Amino acid sequence: MSSRDPNWWRQAVIYQVYPRSFADADGDGLGDLRGLTRRLAHLATLGVDAVWLSPFYPSELADGGYDVADYRDVDPRLGTLDDFDVMVAEAHRLGLKVLVDLVPNHSSHRHAWFQEALRAGPGSPARDRYVFRDGRGRKGELPPSDWHSVFGGSAWQRVPDGQWYLHLFAPEQPDLNWDNEEVRADFRTTLRFWADRGVDGFRVDVAHALTKDLTEPLRDLGDLAAGGDEALEGMAPGEHPLYDRDEVHEIYRDWRKILDSYSPPRMAVAEAWVPGERRVLYARPDELGQAFNFEYLRTPWDAEALREVITSALDQARAAGASATWVLSNHDVIRHATRLALPPGTDPDAWLLSGGREPAVDTALGLRRARASTLLMLALPGCAYLYQGEELGLPEVADLPADALRDPIWEQTGHARKGRDGCRVPLPWTRGGTDFGFGFDADGGTPWLPQPEWFSELSVEAQDGVDGSARELYRAALRVRRGLLSADESLTWLDGAAPGVLHFSRPGGWQVVANTGSAPVPLPTGRTLLASGPLDGGGTVLPPDTTVWLKA
């Protein structure tokens, strides 16, 4: 893949790093940029095309770094801009592209703009950069509307002078006002700042929430007041006052002009929790170019359901002139090595509150399905996103003690939801040491989230070079995939598949068979290139929860 290829991202494999949990070079228990730089060889030998960094900006970590105090700097605990430049240079030397997270919906309450807004008072230009409103009630003591935060509770927070500000997430994350031209201009500057430093692309956080209908009086939402993408289900497309409004696309068309001014053009991908037919609007060539396909992530391990979602996603991407995207895990969801083993109908929040004990999870089943689902995903046309640690087969750490939890969801829901910390536990690199090599030193420090003892045998050291390990499966899959890909991003479903089985072909005689059912099935004729697990019948029978790549 040429470093100058403007379409490198269309069928790339992009690896998400959650910097605070990847590698810790200074032993303070928090991952950092120098730690990432020292571990980039792991990603290069894995065979990914790019690395995407979750926020590394100055932040008080009220929401894991997504509360940004300065969009054009590095948190001192994670390093400096010089460290960032060194990391980008090393990534490029190793043949890796670099993407960074952009968080345009909200800033931190510690951002200079918000502090200025608090000092300036009602009606000031500084307050107009955010969404401030007077309250309702005789003395303004009630929130301006019934809108709820995604993390729980009201989406409004009162300040000492009596006004309220909007926060769709934590109170420490005030929403920016995208009707304000200063806000738009500042993010243009931010895009150029990172692109000028060699960044190859951007992941846009909460891309569907920037523009809002703030016409007075603000609309109450009643049963739809609760935050989250489920709120869109009861309203006509583009009509929700907070999410997926049509005006948001003006912003991304403006951004695309900036991204295309670089050679090669910078890519971008939207995090937009919206229905598929609306999601692809963000991925149009004159906008961001890609949008995460969360329907695929949410689909159970079921052949019929998977075929429907895959077909729909490919059709929608093709119609929009976009590249399809596929993802199974990220920093916001239960890891798929666990999720795919949970019985149908399991309430994930209740399961986490039980410490992962009710219901009990068959970890061996989860790993088999994780391996099979990954091999299926990597065979699909388009771009695949991996989340750090999935190449080790890491399951969710569900039994984190309450006093260790850092996710604001825990407190904002009154301890009704445990949150997302279980997929953010620092990675294990070595079998031994107090932090399994997260801090490099054998004695190590104390990681910001506790690691379980069973991390030892899932560490990079324990799996490196071990035939049949999750790490070696990923390495083999990415190596073989690179040799099989063509410019033709098509897929053909093949007739005659047994119930519970997916069977399709890709250009060049590449066939994929995935068995999601409970019974073994005979394999079609062909040379086995790769299998997610052992085959039966001398290599002629595909067991349940297994995927195979064949060359016809």
Coordinates of all heavy atoms in Angstrom, one line a residue, residues 128-164:
D128 N -21.9 32.7 24.4 CA -22.5 32.2 23.1 C -21.7 31.1 22.4 O -22.2 30.4 21.5 CB -22.7 33.4 22.2 CG -23.5 33.0 20.9 OD1 -24.7 32.6 21.1 OD2 -23.0 33.1 19.8
R129 N -20.5 30.9 22.9 CA -19.7 29.7 22.3 C -20.3 28.4 22.9 O -20.0 27.3 22.3 CB -18.3 29.8 22.7 CG -17.5 31.1 22.1 CD -16.1 31.1 22.6 NE -15.4 32.2 22.2 CZ -14.6 32.9 23.0 NH1 -14.5 32.6 24.3 NH2 -13.9 34.0 22.6
Y130 N -21.0 28.5 23.9 CA -21.7 27.3 24.5 C -23.2 27.5 24.5 O -23.7 28.4 23.9 CB -21.1 27.1 26.0 CG -19.7 26.7 26.0 CD1 -18.7 27.7 26.0 CD2 -19.2 25.4 26.0 CE1 -17.3 27.4 26.1 CE2 -17.9 25.1 26.0 CZ -16.9 26.1 26.0 OH -15.6 25.7 26.0
V131 N -23.9 26.5 25.1 CA -25.3 26.6 25.1 C -25.8 26.9 26.5 O -26.0 26.0 27.4 CB -26.0 25.3 24.6 CG1 -27.5 25.4 24.6 CG2 -25.4 24.9 23.2
F132 N -25.9 28.2 26.8 CA -26.4 28.7 28.1 C -27.9 29.2 27.9 O -28.2 29.8 26.9 CB -25.6 29.9 28.6 CG -24.3 29.5 29.3 CD1 -23.1 29.3 28.6 CD2 -24.3 29.3 30.7 CE1 -22.0 28.9 29.2 CE2 -23.1 29.0 31.3 CZ -21.9 28.8 30.6
R133 N -28.7 28.9 28.9 CA -30.1 29.3 28.9 C -30.5 29.7 30.3 O -30.0 29.1 31.3 CB -31.0 28.2 28.3 CG -30.8 28.0 26.8 CD -31.3 29.2 26.0 NE -31.2 28.9 24.6 CZ -30.1 29.0 23.8 NH1 -29.0 29.4 24.3 NH2 -30.2 28.8 22.5
D134 N -31.5 30.6 30.4 CA -32.2 30.8 31.7 C -33.1 29.6 32.0 O -33.6 28.9 31.1 CB -33.0 32.0 31.6 CG -32.2 33.3 31.4 OD1 -31.1 33.3 31.9 OD2 -32.7 34.3 30.8
G135 N -33.2 29.3 33.3 CA -34.1 28.2 33.7 C -35.5 28.6 33.7 O -35.9 29.7 33.5
R136 N -36.3 27.6 33.9 CA -37.8 27.8 34.0 C -38.1 27.8 35.5 O -37.3 27.6 36.4 CB -38.5 26.6 33.3 CG -38.2 26.6 31.8 CD -39.1 25.6 31.1 NE -38.7 24.2 31.5 CZ -39.2 23.1 30.8 NH1 -40.0 23.3 29.8 NH2 -38.8 21.9 31.2
G137 N -39.4 28.1 35.8 CA -39.8 28.3 37.2 C -39.8 29.7 37.6 O -39.3 30.6 36.8
R138 N -40.4 30.0 38.7 CA -40.5 31.4 39.2 C -39.2 32.1 39.3 O -39.0 33.3 39.0 CB -41.2 31.5 40.5 CG -42.7 31.1 40.4 CD -43.4 31.2 41.8 NE -43.3 32.6 42.3 CZ -43.7 32.9 43.5 NH1 -44.1 32.0 44.3 NH2 -43.5 34.2 43.9
K139 N -38.1 31.4 39.7 CA -36.8 31.9 39.9 C -35.7 31.3 39.1 O -34.6 31.3 39.4 CB -36.5 31.8 41.4 CG -37.4 32.6 42.3 CD -37.0 32.5 43.8 CE -37.9 33.3 44.7 NZ -37.5 33.2 46.1
G140 N -36.2 30.7 38.0 CA -35.2 30.0 37.1 C -34.6 28.8 37.7 O -33.5 28.3 37.3
E141 N -35.3 28.2 38.7 CA -34.7 27.1 39.4 C -34.9 25.7 38.7 O -34.3 24.7 39.2 CB -35.4 27.0 40.8 CG -36.8 26.5 40.8 CD -37.8 27.6 40.6 OE1 -37.4 28.7 40.1 OE2 -39.1 27.3 40.8
L142 N -35.6 25.7 37.6 CA -35.9 24.4 36.9 C -35.1 24.4 35.6 O -34.9 25.5 35.0 CB -37.3 24.3 36.6 CG -38.3 24.2 37.8 CD1 -39.7 24.1 37.3 CD2 -38.0 23.0 38.7
P143 N -34.6 23.3 35.2 CA -33.8 23.2 33.9 C -34.6 23.8 32.7 O -35.8 23.8 32.7 CB -33.6 21.7 33.7 CG -33.7 21.1 35.1 CD -34.7 22.0 35.8
P144 N -33.9 24.3 31.7 CA -34.6 24.9 30.6 C -35.5 24.0 29.8 O -36.3 24.4 29.0 CB -33.4 25.5 29.7 CG -32.3 25.7 30.7 CD -32.5 24.6 31.7
S145 N -35.2 22.7 29.9 CA -36.0 21.7 29.2 C -35.8 20.3 29.9 O -35.1 20.3 30.9 CB -35.5 21.5 27.7 OG -34.2 20.9 27.6
D146 N -36.5 19.3 29.4 CA -36.4 18.0 30.1 C -35.4 17.1 29.5 O -35.4 15.9 29.7 CB -37.8 17.3 30.0 CG -38.2 16.9 28.6 OD1 -37.5 17.3 27.6 OD2 -39.3 16.3 28.4
W147 N -34.4 17.7 28.7 CA -33.4 16.8 28.0 C -32.5 16.1 29.1 O -32.2 16.7 30.1 CB -32.6 17.7 27.1 CG -33.4 18.4 26.1 CD1 -34.6 18.1 25.7 CD2 -32.9 19.5 25.3 NE1 -35.0 19.0 24.7 CE2 -34.0 19.8 24.4 CE3 -31.8 20.3 25.2 CZ2 -33.9 20.9 23.5 CZ3 -31.7 21.3 24.3 CH2 -32.7 21.6 23.4
H148 N -32.2 14.9 28.7 CA -31.4 14.1 29.6 C -30.0 13.8 29.0 O -29.8 13.8 27.8 CB -32.0 12.7 29.8 CG -33.2 12.7 30.7 ND1 -33.9 11.6 31.2 CD2 -33.9 13.8 31.2 CE1 -34.9 11.9 31.9 NE2 -35.0 13.2 32.0
S149 N -29.0 13.6 29.9 CA -27.7 13.3 29.5 C -27.6 11.8 29.1 O -28.3 11.0 29.7 CB -26.7 13.5 30.7 OG -25.5 12.8 30.5
V150 N -26.7 11.5 28.2 CA -26.5 10.1 27.8 C -26.0 9.3 29.0 O -26.3 8.1 29.1 CB -25.4 10.1 26.6 CG1 -25.0 8.7 26.3 CG2 -26.0 10.8 25.4
F151 N -25.3 10.0 29.9 CA -24.7 9.3 31.0 C -25.7 9.2 32.2 O -25.4 8.7 33.2 CB -23.5 10.0 31.5 CG -22.3 9.9 30.6 CD1 -21.2 10.7 30.7 CD2 -22.3 8.9 29.6 CE1 -20.1 10.6 29.9 CE2 -21.2 8.8 28.7 CZ -20.1 9.6 28.8
G152 N -26.9 9.8 32.1 CA -27.9 9.7 33.1 C -28.1 11.1 33.8 O -27.2 11.9 33.8
G153 N -29.4 11.3 34.2 CA -29.7 12.6 34.8 C -30.0 13.7 33.8 O -30.0 13.5 32.6
S154 N -30.2 14.9 34.3 CA -30.5 16.0 33.4 C -29.3 16.4 32.6 O -28.1 16.2 33.0 CB -30.9 17.2 34.3 OG -31.0 18.4 33.5
A155 N -29.6 16.9 31.4 CA -28.5 17.4 30.5 C -28.2 18.9 30.8 O -27.5 19.5 30.0 CB -28.9 17.2 29.0
W156 N -28.7 19.4 31.9 CA -28.5 20.8 32.2 C -27.8 20.9 33.6 O -28.2 20.2 34.5 CB -29.8 21.6 32.2 CG -30.5 21.7 30.9 CD1 -31.5 20.9 30.4 CD2 -30.2 22.6 29.9 NE1 -31.9 21.3 29.2 CE2 -31.1 22.3 28.8 CE3 -29.3 23.7 29.7 CZ2 -31.1 23.1 27.6 CZ3 -29.3 24.4 28.5 CH2 -30.2 24.1 27.5
Q157 N -26.9 21.9 33.7 CA -26.2 22.1 34.9 C -26.3 23.6 35.2 O -26.0 24.5 34.3 CB -24.7 21.7 34.8 CG -23.9 21.9 36.1 CD -24.2 20.8 37.1 OE1 -24.8 19.8 36.8 NE2 -23.7 21.0 38.3
R158 N -26.7 24.0 36.5 CA -26.8 25.4 36.8 C -25.5 25.9 37.3 O -24.7 25.2 38.0 CB -27.9 25.5 37.9 CG -28.5 26.9 37.9 CD -29.6 27.1 38.9 NE -30.3 28.3 38.8 CZ -31.2 28.8 39.6 NH1 -31.6 28.0 40.7 NH2 -31.8 29.9 39.4
V159 N -25.2 27.2 37.0 CA -24.0 27.9 37.4 C -24.4 28.9 38.5 O -25.6 29.3 38.6 CB -23.3 28.5 36.2 CG1 -22.9 27.5 35.2 CG2 -24.1 29.6 35.5
P160 N -23.5 29.5 39.2 CA -23.8 30.3 40.4 C -24.7 31.5 40.0 O -25.5 32.0 40.9 CB -22.4 30.7 40.9 CG -21.6 29.6 40.6 CD -22.0 29.1 39.3
D161 N -24.6 32.1 38.8 CA -25.4 33.3 38.5 C -26.8 32.9 38.1 O -27.6 33.8 37.7 CB -24.7 34.1 37.4 CG -24.5 33.4 36.1 OD1 -25.3 32.6 35.7 OD2 -23.5 33.7 35.5
G162 N -27.1 31.6 38.1 CA -28.5 31.2 37.9 C -28.8 30.6 36.5 O -29.8 29.9 36.3
Q163 N -27.9 30.9 35.5 CA -28.1 30.3 34.2 C -27.8 28.8 34.2 O -27.2 28.3 35.2 CB -27.3 31.0 33.2 CG -28.0 32.3 32.6 CD -27.5 32.7 31.3 OE1 -26.3 32.7 31.0 NE2 -28.5 33.0 30.4
W164 N -28.2 28.1 33.2 CA -27.9 26.7 33.0 C -27.1 26.5 31.7 O -27.4 27.2 30.7 CB -29.2 25.9 32.9 CG -30.1 26.0 34.1 CD1 -30.9 27.1 34.5 CD2 -30.4 25.0 35.1 NE1 -31.6 26.8 35.6 CE2 -31.3 25.5 36.0 CE3 -29.9 23.7 35.3 CZ2 -31.8 24.7 37.1 CZ3 -30.4 22.9 36.3 CH2 -31.3 23.4 37.2

